[in-house]
Amino acid sequence: MDDRVKVFERAKELLLGHDMMGFADLWAVDGTMEFPFAPPGRPRLLEGREAVRAYVRDYTDHIDLRAVAHEVVHLTEDPGVLIVEFSMDAVAVGTGRPLRPGYVAVITVRDGEIASYRDYWNPLMLNEMSSGSEEGRTHG
């Protein structure tokens, strides 16, 4: 299996296993995580494994990822870069509301670790996690 795909498969296992520290450990010490569509007040760039660790530490207090609902993996000509479109079946912990967040991730793998992860997620999901209404629900 391609090294890029192995890293992504391991990331999914850790996320579904609610092992956020293990997920953060996939990053290179100097790896980055970017959120180009982050709303005001949310970080756009995390620099280094420790910053990723701090960011994901409380993730499972807010969202319970249950299963991969949809996935398309795109291998690029660059042997270190992978583009993945995926959505997850999840539950908002605070409300019990089912969610299906969708993502497009551009992942650069170097020496078996994530050197860069650009996460193009929909920030409207934040509203869904706290809202009880079905109006405006995002299905990824």
Side-chain angles (χ1 to χ4, degrees):
M1 181 184 302
D2 185 288
D3 198 37
R4 300 168 289 186
V5 176
K6 283 181 191 176
V7 170
F8 179 68
E9 290 296 322
R10 183 67 181 140
K12 287 188 308 184
E13 289 173 16
L14 293 164
L15 287 169
L16 292 171
H18 304 138
D19 183 354
M20 300 314 292
M21 294 305 99
F23 177 71
D25 286 344
L26 293 174
W27 263 255
V29 170
D30 63 344
T32 60
M33 188 171 200
E34 297 178 61
F35 306 98
F37 298 146
R42 304 282 298 190
R44 289 189 181 272
L45 176 65
L46 306 173
E47 296 185 81
R49 181 186 299 145
E50 291 308 314
V52 173
R53 184 183 305 280
Y55 181 79
V56 301
R57 178 171 285 119
D58 300 325
Y59 190 81
T60 57
D61 292 346
H62 307 285
I63 189 166
D64 177 8
L65 300 174
R66 303 267 176 102
V68 175
H70 171 77
E71 175 183 317
V72 178
V73 175
H74 305 277
L75 297 175
T76 68
E77 290 185 23
D78 182 326
V81 178
L82 178 72
I83 299 170
V84 184
E85 303 172 68
F86 64 106
S87 60
M88 306 283 275
D89 286 332
V91 173
V93 172
T95 64
R97 182 174 183 205
L99 301 170
R100 183 165 285 171
Y103 308 90
V104 174
V106 180
I107 305 166
T108 301
V109 174
R110 178 183 68 226
D111 299 326
E113 296 179 312
I114 297 172
S116 171
Y117 189 112
R118 284 193 313 275
D119 191 355
Y120 294 90
W121 63 284
N122 182 349
L124 295 176
M125 181 180 73
L126 295 173
N127 295 335
E128 292 179 34
M129 289 174 59
S130 61
S131 170
S133 76
E134 290 294 311
E135 189 174 339
R137 186 167 177 198
T138 303
H139 292 281

